[in-house]
Amino acid sequence: MASCFSYTASRDRCYQYSFTNAGLRSTTIALGEGTVIHCWAPKKHKDAKPTILLIHGFGANAMWQWGYFIDRLIPKFNVYVPDLLFFGDSYTTRPERTEAFQAQCLLSVMKTVGVHRMSVAGISYGGFVAYSIAAQFPEAVEKVVLCSAGVCLESKDMDEGMFKVSSLEEAGNILLPQTPDKLRQLMRLSFYKPIKNVPSCFLNDFIHVMCTEYVEEKKQLIEALYKDRKLANLPKLTQPTLIIWGEEDQIFPIALAHRLKSHLGDNAQLVIIKHAGHAVNIEKPKKVYKHLKSFLLDALPKYGSDSNSHAAD
């Protein structure tokens, strides 16, 4: 009996085709000690072009989150798009679950392929990893882009009611949905205008393809983010940093964007995109790309006021 058609798996194959057609190749790099990273890399790295490392967040694999941007970035950059540990085809048998370890693994991948200088861009959880790369290895990172990344949160924020969830367990159940109702809840929190009335069969299909592997390990990643987290312990980046945030973000409220801008000072620029939620890269990809491109390619990008903050319509 033939297996049922999967919309999610079919779309994933389309992304694979589009990444390949754009000039990227799928490669798997063994880092030793049971750690393997999958990465989309240029078929041929061109030294004359700058390099950008694109890091995804929770949810589907890297292709789904960065798919819109690939064709636009490749003519201007050497583009690398890895799957973080426990996403896509990346995994480790080691016990580490911190974003610092994820960062170390990604930098090892870049060194393995011969890249020693790059800009980094991260979405949500990927922003935590991008921040960690820039903090741990400042000599390797030129510029940093953080999109909807609540890196300046503190453990006490959840207890004080900042978030829509009241516990890490509840956060894990939503970010790693195992039922259509939990996936609908995630969609409501992630999008300013979530798609309504999605049939359960489509949601179950997405869950089966994207959300059933390494569930416990991913929960441990979430726990590691919050454990004993204090703003006072967050290093200040030395690289120019662009912060992009959806004004209606319900996962990482906009207060965290202003907190991060204050923490980094004049070294950072904050762009707030109106009518967008946490998934601003999906809801407003053209606006995100506009600011991403300008920041990465302009020598001295400026977005407005003396406070280096700007609201985008």
Side-chain angles (χ1 to χ4, degrees):
M1 180 177 176
S3 60
C4 295
F5 171 79
S6 168
Y7 170 79
T8 307
S10 178
R11 186 175 181 184
D12 200 59
R13 288 191 293 270
C14 289
Y15 275 122
Q16 292 175 26
Y17 174 80
S18 67
F19 271 49
T20 301
N21 196 50
L24 300 180
R25 60 185 176 89
S26 174
T27 183
T28 301
I29 298 171
L31 299 178
E33 300 184 14
T35 301
V36 173
I37 298 288
H38 172 265
C39 184
W40 288 94
K43 292 177 181 176
K44 185 175 181 180
H45 184 99
K46 297 181 180 180
D47 292 337
K49 293 199 297 186
T51 294
I52 180 73
L53 177 65
L54 304 177
I55 310 173
H56 67 87
F58 271 76
N61 59 40
M63 295 185 296
W64 290 58
Q65 297 184 33
W66 288 109
Y68 173 87
F69 304 90
I70 295 303
D71 285 338
R72 293 158 179 81
L73 290 173
I74 281 181
K76 304 172 181 66
F77 297 91
N78 295 300
V79 176
Y80 291 81
V81 193
D83 284 323
L84 290 169
L85 293 171
F86 306 120
F87 296 87
D89 293 326
S90 298
Y91 62 90
T92 186
T93 57
R94 291 179 58 170
E96 292 93 333
R97 297 293 182 264
T98 64
E99 71 263 34
F101 181 63
Q102 295 268 21
Q104 292 158 17
C105 290
L106 293 193
L107 195 74
S108 294
V109 166
M110 298 305 284
K111 288 182 176 179
T112 298
V113 299
V115 177
H116 300 279
R117 187 77 172 161
M118 72 207 78
S119 291
V120 295
I123 297 169
S124 193
Y125 176 67
F128 286 77
V129 179
Y131 197 104
S132 186
I133 293 175
Q136 291 187 76
F137 311 103
E139 73 286 349
V141 177
E142 296 178 10
K143 295 182 179 181
V144 181
V145 179
L146 305 171
C147 188
S148 307
V151 294
C152 58
L153 65 83
E154 297 188 282
S155 299
K156 65 179 182 180
D157 289 333
M158 185 172 291
D159 296 333
E160 294 178 355
M162 174 176 280
F163 306 114
K164 294 287 186 178
V165 297
S166 57
S167 68
L168 288 181
E169 181 180 6
E170 186 181 0
N173 290 337
I174 295 172
L175 291 173
L176 305 168
Q178 300 299 301
T179 66
D181 283 345
K182 286 300 180 184
L183 184 50
R184 289 188 182 97
Q185 189 175 359
L186 177 60
M187 292 168 64
R188 288 195 297 270
L189 291 175
S190 299
F191 294 94
Y192 174 64
K193 290 185 176 180
I195 300 174
K196 298 180 180 180
N197 302 318
V198 180
S200 292
C201 60
F202 282 97
L203 300 178
N204 276 319
D205 177 57
F206 182 87
I207 291 168
H208 175 72
V209 175
M210 290 291 173
C211 305
T212 55
E213 292 187 338
Y214 298 115
V215 174
E216 288 305 314
E217 289 84 353
K218 289 175 181 175
K219 287 182 179 179
Q220 293 164 7
L221 297 179
I222 296 172
E223 292 168 0
L225 279 185
Y226 282 86
K227 185 178 180 181
D228 301 325
R229 196 173 191 96
K230 295 180 180 179
L231 182 61
N233 296 332
L234 185 69
K236 294 186 178 182
L237 300 184
T238 58
Q239 302 90 341
T241 302
L242 174 63
I243 305 165
I244 300 176
W245 222 277
E247 188 174 38
E248 307 298 332
D249 195 326
Q250 297 186 78
I251 291 181
F252 289 135
I254 199 168
L256 291 176
H258 293 291
R259 184 191 291 177
L260 181 57
K261 172 65 182 74
S262 178
H263 181 71
L264 294 178
D266 291 340
N267 208 37
Q269 301 163 46
L270 171 60
V271 171
I272 299 169
I273 297 181
K274 296 181 179 180
H275 310 301
H278 185 70
V280 64
N281 57 305
I282 296 175
E283 288 191 294
K284 300 289 184 178
K286 292 181 180 179
K287 294 187 182 299
V288 171
Y289 174 70
K290 171 189 171 183
H291 294 291
L292 184 73
K293 173 177 171 289
S294 178
F295 173 75
L296 292 173
L297 292 180
D298 290 352
L300 294 171
K302 295 181 180 179
Y303 287 97
S305 70
D306 292 338
S307 64
N308 286 340
S309 63
H310 173 68
D313 292 332

